[in-house]
Protein backbone atom coordinates (compact mmCIF):
# COMPACT_ATOMS: atom_id res chain seq x y z
CA UNK A 1 0.00 0.00 0.00
CA UNK A 2 1.22 3.51 -0.78
CA UNK A 3 1.56 5.97 2.12
CA UNK A 4 -1.53 8.02 1.23
CA UNK A 5 -3.77 4.97 1.03
CA UNK A 6 -2.42 3.60 4.29
CA UNK A 7 -3.10 6.97 5.95
CA UNK A 8 -6.66 6.97 4.63
CA UNK A 9 -7.24 3.48 6.00
CA UNK A 10 -6.11 4.67 9.43
CA UNK A 11 -8.45 7.62 9.17
CA UNK A 12 -11.40 5.46 8.19
CA UNK A 13 -10.75 3.13 11.10
CA UNK A 14 -10.65 6.09 13.51
CA UNK A 15 -13.91 7.46 12.10
CA UNK A 16 -15.90 4.26 12.38
CA UNK A 17 -14.65 3.38 15.84
CA UNK A 18 -15.50 6.91 16.96
CA UNK A 19 -18.92 6.63 15.37
CA UNK A 20 -19.72 3.45 17.28
CA UNK A 21 -18.56 4.85 20.63
CA UNK A 22 -20.35 8.18 20.27
CA UNK A 23 -23.53 6.61 18.88
CA UNK A 24 -23.71 4.28 21.87
CA UNK A 25 -23.07 7.20 24.25
CA UNK A 26 -25.72 9.38 22.63
CA UNK A 27 -28.28 6.57 22.59
CA UNK A 28 -27.81 5.91 26.29
CA UNK A 29 -28.11 9.61 27.12
CA UNK A 30 -31.21 9.98 24.94
CA UNK A 31 -32.91 7.23 26.92
CA UNK A 32 -32.15 9.09 30.15
CA UNK A 33 -33.42 12.39 28.68
CA UNK A 34 -36.72 10.71 27.79
CA UNK A 35 -37.66 9.98 31.40
CA UNK A 36 -35.71 12.67 33.28
CA UNK A 37 -36.63 15.81 31.33
CA UNK A 38 -33.12 17.30 31.72
CA UNK A 39 -32.55 19.98 29.08
CA UNK A 40 -28.85 20.15 29.96
CA UNK A 41 -28.48 16.44 29.20
CA UNK A 42 -30.56 16.99 26.06
CA UNK A 43 -28.02 19.55 24.82
CA UNK A 44 -25.17 17.17 25.58
CA UNK A 45 -26.97 14.34 23.80
CA UNK A 46 -27.61 16.45 20.69
CA UNK A 47 -23.98 17.43 20.57
CA UNK A 48 -22.77 13.85 20.94
CA UNK A 49 -25.14 12.75 18.18
CA UNK A 50 -23.92 15.54 15.91
CA UNK A 51 -20.32 14.57 16.61
CA UNK A 52 -21.08 10.98 15.64
CA UNK A 53 -22.78 12.07 12.43
CA UNK A 54 -19.70 14.03 11.32
CA UNK A 55 -18.11 10.64 10.60
CA UNK A 56 -20.33 10.40 7.52
CA UNK A 57 -18.91 13.33 5.46
CA UNK A 58 -15.38 12.62 6.67
CA UNK A 59 -15.70 8.96 5.75
CA UNK A 60 -16.98 9.89 2.30
CA UNK A 61 -14.04 12.30 1.86
CA UNK A 62 -11.48 9.66 2.82
CA UNK A 63 -13.01 7.17 0.37
CA UNK A 64 -13.09 9.78 -2.40
CA UNK A 65 -9.50 10.75 -1.66
CA UNK A 66 -8.36 7.23 -2.58
CA UNK A 67 -9.35 7.74 -6.20
CA UNK A 68 -6.41 8.36 -8.56
CA UNK A 69 -5.96 11.70 -10.36
CA UNK A 70 -7.77 12.24 -13.66
CA UNK A 71 -7.33 14.66 -16.55
CA UNK A 72 -9.93 16.91 -14.93
CA UNK A 73 -8.83 16.48 -11.30
CA UNK A 74 -5.11 16.40 -11.99
CA UNK A 75 -4.16 16.68 -8.30
CA UNK A 76 -6.57 13.96 -7.26
CA UNK A 77 -9.48 14.24 -4.82
CA UNK A 78 -7.66 15.03 -1.59
CA UNK A 79 -9.39 18.39 -1.20
CA UNK A 80 -12.66 16.56 -0.55
CA UNK A 81 -11.41 16.26 3.03
CA UNK A 82 -11.34 20.05 3.32
CA UNK A 83 -14.94 20.23 2.09
CA UNK A 84 -15.84 17.64 4.72
CA UNK A 85 -14.35 20.02 7.28
CA UNK A 86 -16.90 22.63 6.17
CA UNK A 87 -19.71 20.12 6.77
CA UNK A 88 -18.30 19.43 10.24
CA UNK A 89 -18.36 23.15 11.04
CA UNK A 90 -21.96 23.46 9.84
CA UNK A 91 -22.96 20.46 11.96
CA UNK A 92 -21.39 21.99 15.06
CA UNK A 93 -23.25 25.24 14.35
CA UNK A 94 -26.57 23.44 13.99
CA UNK A 95 -26.12 21.53 17.26
CA UNK A 96 -25.35 24.79 19.11
CA UNK A 97 -28.52 26.39 17.73
CA UNK A 98 -30.73 23.47 18.80
CA UNK A 99 -29.17 23.25 22.27
CA UNK A 100 -29.51 26.99 22.84
CA UNK A 101 -33.13 27.04 21.73
CA UNK A 102 -34.05 24.13 24.04
CA UNK A 103 -32.40 25.84 27.03
CA UNK A 104 -34.16 29.16 26.39
CA UNK A 105 -37.49 27.38 26.03
CA UNK A 106 -36.98 25.64 29.37
CA UNK A 107 -36.16 28.96 31.07
CA UNK A 108 -39.35 30.46 29.67
CA UNK A 109 -41.42 27.39 30.53
CA UNK A 110 -39.90 25.60 33.58
CA UNK A 111 -40.42 21.86 34.00
CA UNK A 112 -39.25 19.49 36.76
CA UNK A 113 -36.18 17.29 36.30
CA UNK A 114 -36.39 13.78 37.78
CA UNK A 115 -34.04 10.80 38.30
CA UNK A 116 -31.11 13.09 39.12
CA UNK A 117 -28.72 10.24 39.97
CA UNK A 118 -29.37 8.68 36.59
CA UNK A 119 -28.74 12.03 34.89
CA UNK A 120 -25.43 12.32 36.76
CA UNK A 121 -24.41 8.80 35.70
CA UNK A 122 -25.28 9.59 32.06
CA UNK A 123 -23.13 12.72 32.27
CA UNK A 124 -20.13 10.71 33.48
CA UNK A 125 -20.62 8.18 30.70
CA UNK A 126 -20.79 11.05 28.20
CA UNK A 127 -17.49 12.44 29.48
CA UNK A 128 -15.72 9.07 29.33
CA UNK A 129 -16.98 8.29 25.81
CA UNK A 130 -16.03 11.68 24.42
CA UNK A 131 -12.57 11.77 25.98
CA UNK A 132 -11.81 8.32 24.58
CA UNK A 133 -12.91 9.38 21.11
CA UNK A 134 -11.08 12.73 21.35
CA UNK A 135 -7.71 11.18 22.18
CA UNK A 136 -8.05 8.61 19.44
CA UNK A 137 -9.10 11.09 16.74
CA UNK A 138 -6.47 13.68 17.60
CA UNK A 139 -3.68 11.09 17.68
CA UNK A 140 -4.64 9.58 14.32
CA UNK A 141 -5.38 12.96 12.73
CA UNK A 142 -1.97 14.35 13.64
CA UNK A 143 -0.22 11.20 12.47
CA UNK A 144 -1.82 11.28 9.01
CA UNK A 145 -1.91 15.10 8.74
CA UNK A 146 -5.71 15.46 8.71
CA UNK A 147 -6.83 18.88 9.96
CA UNK A 148 -10.49 17.85 9.72
CA UNK A 149 -9.95 14.80 11.94
CA UNK A 150 -7.97 16.80 14.51
CA UNK A 151 -10.69 19.48 14.57
CA UNK A 152 -13.31 16.79 15.10
CA UNK A 153 -11.25 15.36 17.96
CA UNK A 154 -11.07 18.76 19.65
CA UNK A 155 -14.83 18.98 19.25
CA UNK A 156 -15.25 15.62 21.00
CA UNK A 157 -12.96 16.72 23.85
CA UNK A 158 -15.07 19.79 24.55
CA UNK A 159 -18.16 17.58 24.44
CA UNK A 160 -16.62 15.62 27.31
CA UNK A 161 -16.24 18.71 29.47
CA UNK A 162 -19.78 19.82 28.64
CA UNK A 163 -20.92 16.39 29.82
CA UNK A 164 -19.34 17.14 33.19
CA UNK A 165 -21.25 20.43 33.26
CA UNK A 166 -24.47 18.40 33.28
CA UNK A 167 -23.40 17.20 36.73
CA UNK A 168 -23.51 20.78 37.97
CA UNK A 169 -27.02 21.16 36.66
CA UNK A 170 -28.16 17.96 38.35
CA UNK A 171 -26.55 19.07 41.63
CA UNK A 172 -28.25 22.46 41.41
CA UNK A 173 -31.64 20.92 40.79
CA UNK A 174 -31.03 18.61 43.77
CA UNK A 175 -30.50 21.72 45.91
CA UNK A 176 -33.81 23.16 44.74
CA UNK A 177 -32.46 25.50 42.06
CA UNK A 178 -34.84 24.74 39.21
CA UNK A 179 -33.05 27.19 36.94
CA UNK A 180 -29.75 25.27 37.19
CA UNK A 181 -30.59 22.72 34.49
CA UNK A 182 -31.46 25.22 31.69
CA UNK A 183 -28.59 27.47 32.84
CA UNK A 184 -26.15 24.62 32.28
CA UNK A 185 -27.82 24.04 28.92
CA UNK A 186 -26.91 27.61 27.96
CA UNK A 187 -23.33 27.09 29.18
CA UNK A 188 -23.11 24.02 26.97
CA UNK A 189 -24.29 26.12 24.04
CA UNK A 190 -21.50 28.63 24.70
CA UNK A 191 -18.95 25.81 24.88
CA UNK A 192 -20.16 24.51 21.52
CA UNK A 193 -19.74 27.99 20.05
CA UNK A 194 -16.11 28.07 21.22
CA UNK A 195 -15.48 24.77 19.45
CA UNK A 196 -17.27 26.14 16.40
CA UNK A 197 -14.84 29.08 16.25
CA UNK A 198 -11.78 26.85 16.65
CA UNK A 199 -12.89 24.36 14.02
CA UNK A 200 -13.94 27.09 11.58
CA UNK A 201 -10.54 28.78 11.94
CA UNK A 202 -8.66 25.56 11.18
CA UNK A 203 -10.84 24.69 8.19
CA UNK A 204 -10.56 28.28 6.87
CA UNK A 205 -6.78 28.10 7.02
CA UNK A 206 -6.76 24.82 5.15
CA UNK A 207 -9.11 26.13 2.45
CA UNK A 208 -6.85 29.19 2.07
CA UNK A 209 -3.77 26.96 1.64
CA UNK A 210 -2.24 28.02 4.95
CA UNK A 211 0.62 25.93 6.35
CA UNK A 212 2.70 26.03 9.50
CA UNK A 213 5.54 28.53 8.82
CA UNK A 214 7.95 26.05 10.41
CA UNK A 215 7.29 23.69 7.49
CA UNK A 216 8.45 26.40 5.08
CA UNK A 217 11.56 27.03 7.19
CA UNK A 218 12.31 23.30 7.24
CA UNK A 219 12.01 23.12 3.45
CA UNK A 220 14.33 26.11 3.01
CA UNK A 221 16.97 24.58 5.29
CA UNK A 222 16.82 21.30 3.40
CA UNK A 223 17.24 23.03 0.04
CA UNK A 224 20.24 25.10 1.19
CA UNK A 225 22.17 21.92 2.01
CA UNK A 226 21.74 20.38 -1.46
CA UNK A 227 24.95 20.24 -3.54
CA UNK A 228 24.64 22.43 -6.62
CA UNK A 229 22.06 24.78 -5.05
CA UNK A 230 23.62 28.21 -4.56
CA UNK A 231 20.58 29.92 -3.01
CA UNK A 232 16.89 29.35 -2.34
CA UNK A 233 14.16 31.51 -3.84
CA UNK A 234 10.42 31.28 -3.26
CA UNK A 235 9.10 28.21 -1.43
CA UNK A 236 5.38 27.44 -1.57
CA UNK A 237 3.62 24.62 0.27
CA UNK A 238 -0.02 23.54 0.29
CA UNK A 239 -2.05 20.70 1.74
CA UNK A 240 -4.08 18.52 -0.60
CA UNK A 241 -6.04 16.34 1.77
CA UNK A 242 -3.46 15.01 4.22
CA UNK A 243 -0.51 15.26 1.80
CA UNK A 244 1.75 18.23 1.06
CA UNK A 245 2.76 19.58 -2.34
CA UNK A 246 5.68 21.97 -2.85
CA UNK A 247 6.76 24.48 -5.48
CA UNK A 248 10.28 25.87 -5.07
CA UNK A 249 12.68 28.17 -6.93
CA UNK A 250 16.40 27.52 -6.51
CA UNK A 251 19.51 29.26 -7.86
CA UNK A 252 22.13 27.25 -9.74
CA UNK A 253 25.40 28.06 -11.48
CA UNK A 254 24.68 29.75 -14.84
CA UNK A 255 27.42 27.60 -16.36
CA UNK A 256 25.53 24.41 -15.52
CA UNK A 257 24.39 22.20 -18.34
CA UNK A 258 20.74 21.28 -18.64
CA UNK A 259 21.52 17.84 -17.24
CA UNK A 260 23.44 19.31 -14.28
CA UNK A 261 20.59 21.73 -13.47
CA UNK A 262 18.10 18.87 -13.70
CA UNK A 263 20.22 16.69 -11.40
CA UNK A 264 20.35 19.52 -8.84
CA UNK A 265 16.55 19.81 -8.98
CA UNK A 266 16.15 16.06 -8.46
CA UNK A 267 18.50 16.15 -5.47
CA UNK A 268 16.49 19.08 -4.10
CA UNK A 269 13.20 17.20 -4.38
CA UNK A 270 14.77 14.16 -2.76
CA UNK A 271 15.97 16.29 0.17
CA UNK A 272 12.48 17.75 0.59
CA UNK A 273 10.87 14.31 0.63
CA UNK A 274 13.10 13.36 3.55
CA UNK A 275 12.68 16.69 5.39
CA UNK A 276 8.87 16.81 5.07
CA UNK A 277 7.36 13.37 5.84
CA UNK A 278 3.90 14.25 4.50
CA UNK A 279 5.26 15.58 1.17
CA UNK A 280 3.95 13.72 -1.88
CA UNK A 281 6.07 15.59 -4.44
CA UNK A 282 7.73 18.88 -5.33
CA UNK A 283 8.19 20.99 -8.43
CA UNK A 284 11.71 22.49 -8.24
CA UNK A 285 12.51 25.24 -10.74
CA UNK A 286 16.24 25.99 -11.24
CA UNK A 287 17.14 29.61 -12.04
CA UNK A 288 20.63 30.58 -13.22
CA UNK A 289 22.42 32.94 -10.86
CA UNK A 290 21.96 36.54 -12.14
CA UNK A 291 25.05 37.92 -13.87
CA UNK A 292 25.87 41.23 -15.60
CA UNK A 293 22.33 42.54 -15.08
CA UNK A 294 20.75 39.86 -17.27
CA UNK A 295 17.11 39.15 -16.41
CA UNK A 296 16.40 35.53 -17.27
CA UNK A 297 12.65 36.09 -16.74
CA UNK A 298 12.27 39.24 -18.84
CA UNK A 299 9.91 37.47 -21.26
CA UNK A 300 7.49 36.78 -18.40
CA UNK A 301 7.61 40.24 -16.79
CA UNK A 302 4.53 41.54 -18.62
CA UNK A 303 2.49 38.48 -17.60
CA UNK A 304 3.19 38.56 -13.89
CA UNK A 305 0.75 40.28 -11.53
CA UNK A 306 2.33 42.69 -9.10
CA UNK A 307 1.91 41.78 -5.37
CA UNK A 308 -1.20 43.35 -3.86
CA UNK A 309 -3.11 43.62 -7.15
Amino acid sequence: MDAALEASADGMRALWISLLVLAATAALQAAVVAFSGSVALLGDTLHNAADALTAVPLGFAFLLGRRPPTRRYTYGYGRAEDLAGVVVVLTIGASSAVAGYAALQRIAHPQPVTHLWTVAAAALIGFAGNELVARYRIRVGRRIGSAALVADGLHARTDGFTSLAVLLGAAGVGLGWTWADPAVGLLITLAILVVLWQAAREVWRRLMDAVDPELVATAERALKDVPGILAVGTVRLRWIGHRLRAECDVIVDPGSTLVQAHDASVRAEHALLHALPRLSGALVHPDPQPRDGVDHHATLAAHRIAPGL
Side-chain angles (χ1 to χ4, degrees):
M1 296 171 62
D2 65 280
L5 186 59
E6 183 178 356
S8 294
D10 288 343
M12 288 296 297
R13 188 179 304 110
L15 287 173
W16 293 119
I17 291 176
S18 299
L19 172 62
L20 291 175
V21 174
L22 290 175
T25 300
L28 187 149
Q29 290 183 313
V32 176
V33 168
F35 62 76
S36 69
S38 171
V39 74
L41 187 59
L42 172 63
D44 193 40
T45 303
L46 289 172
H47 203 182
N48 286 331
D51 197 27
L53 290 176
T54 56
V56 176
L58 285 173
F60 176 77
F62 278 126
L63 288 174
L64 187 61
R66 295 183 182 186
R67 299 180 61 181
T70 66
R71 292 183 64 84
R72 182 179 296 275
Y73 297 98
T74 55
Y75 282 97
Y77 295 83
R79 297 304 286 266
E81 187 178 329
D82 302 334
L83 296 178
V86 174
V87 177
V88 170
V89 169
L90 294 176
T91 303
I92 297 173
S95 64
S96 67
V98 173
Y101 176 79
L104 291 174
Q105 284 290 102
R106 182 58 59 85
I107 290 175
H109 307 285
Q111 296 180 18
V113 178
T114 60
H115 301 85
L116 295 180
W117 286 108
T118 307
V119 171
L124 290 175
I125 291 174
F127 171 77
N130 277 285
E131 182 60 21
L132 179 65
V133 166
R135 293 189 179 190
Y136 186 43
R137 282 183 172 178
I138 292 172
R139 183 175 70 253
V140 175
R142 286 175 176 169
R143 186 174 73 245
I144 68 175
S146 170
L149 195 56
V150 171
D152 212 28
L154 293 173
H155 173 206
R157 171 157 290 166
T158 303
D159 278 354
F161 288 110
T162 56
S163 294
L164 290 181
V166 176
L167 286 174
L168 298 178
V173 173
L175 294 173
W177 303 337
T178 56
W179 50 266
D181 186 67
V184 169
L186 288 177
L187 289 177
I188 290 176
T189 302
L190 293 177
I192 298 173
L193 290 175
V194 171
V195 178
L196 175 63
W197 162 250
Q198 294 172 342
R201 181 181 59 187
E202 290 300 318
V203 173
W204 166 260
R205 288 175 177 173
R206 183 57 64 89
L207 291 175
M208 294 298 293
D209 285 334
V211 296
D212 185 348
E214 182 56 32
L215 290 176
V216 179
T218 299
E220 291 172 339
R221 289 192 296 267
L223 291 171
K224 289 178 182 178
D225 294 334
V226 175
I229 303 298
L230 304 180
V232 179
T234 303
V235 174
R236 296 183 178 89
L237 299 174
R238 65 166 58 177
W239 287 101
I240 300 179
H242 43 262
R243 304 292 292 177
L244 278 169
R245 291 285 302 181
E247 297 177 9
C248 311
D249 295 332
V250 296
I251 307 300
V252 299
D253 189 328
S256 301
T257 66
L258 177 61
V259 172
Q260 290 171 332
H262 176 268
D263 288 345
S265 298
V266 171
R267 289 193 296 270
E269 182 175 3
H270 185 251
L272 289 173
L273 289 169
H274 282 281
L276 303 173
R278 303 313 305 170
L279 187 69
S280 61
L283 176 63
V284 181
H285 176 74
D287 285 323
Q289 189 176 38
R291 181 179 295 176
D292 301 327
V294 177
D295 184 1
H296 297 284
H297 296 97
T299 304
L300 301 174
H303 300 278
R304 291 182 170 174
I305 300 175
L309 297 181

